[in-house]
């Protein structure tokens, strides 16, 4: 949900917007991070300036693949 709130901030306060996304990644275990949240954060990096988005994009790339309710890796 926080990543949804970060999207409108991206144009005016990109640092705050990026920090919200980092907070989500800090608080939610990678295995519990839903694919929709990953997609929203990924879209957010596209709305941020290159310098602000670089760390966030790298952090997304380093996450393990998402898993389903049975612990199986999701692909796609």
């Amino acid at each position: 949900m926080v990543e949804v709130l970060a999207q409108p901030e991206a144009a005016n306060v990109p640092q705050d917007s990026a920090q919200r996304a980092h907070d989500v990644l800090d608080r939610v275990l990678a295995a519990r991070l839903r694919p929709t949240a990953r997609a929203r954060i990924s879209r957010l990096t596209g709305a941020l300036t290159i310098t602000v988005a670089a760390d966030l994009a790298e952090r997304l790339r380093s996450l393990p693949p998402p898993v389903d309710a049975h612990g199986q890796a999701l692909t796609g």
Side-chain angles (χ1 to χ4, degrees):
M1 180 60 133
V2 173
E3 69 278 5
V4 173
L5 299 173
Q7 190 71 39
E9 292 180 326
N12 298 327
V13 279
Q15 294 285 1
D16 290 351
S17 183
Q19 187 56 50
R20 286 185 192 275
H22 279 292
D23 287 346
V24 168
L25 296 175
D26 288 343
R27 295 172 191 221
V28 179
L29 294 173
R32 298 281 186 201
L33 190 64
R34 294 181 178 188
T36 54
R38 290 173 187 246
R40 288 183 192 123
I41 293 172
S42 182
R43 279 194 306 275
L44 176 63
T45 61
L48 297 171
T49 61
I50 292 172
T51 54
V52 173
D55 288 341
L56 190 55
E58 179 58 35
R59 197 158 174 199
L60 278 175
R61 281 192 294 273
S62 70
L63 290 175
V67 295
D68 64 15
H70 304 287
Q72 299 297 312
L74 297 173
T75 58

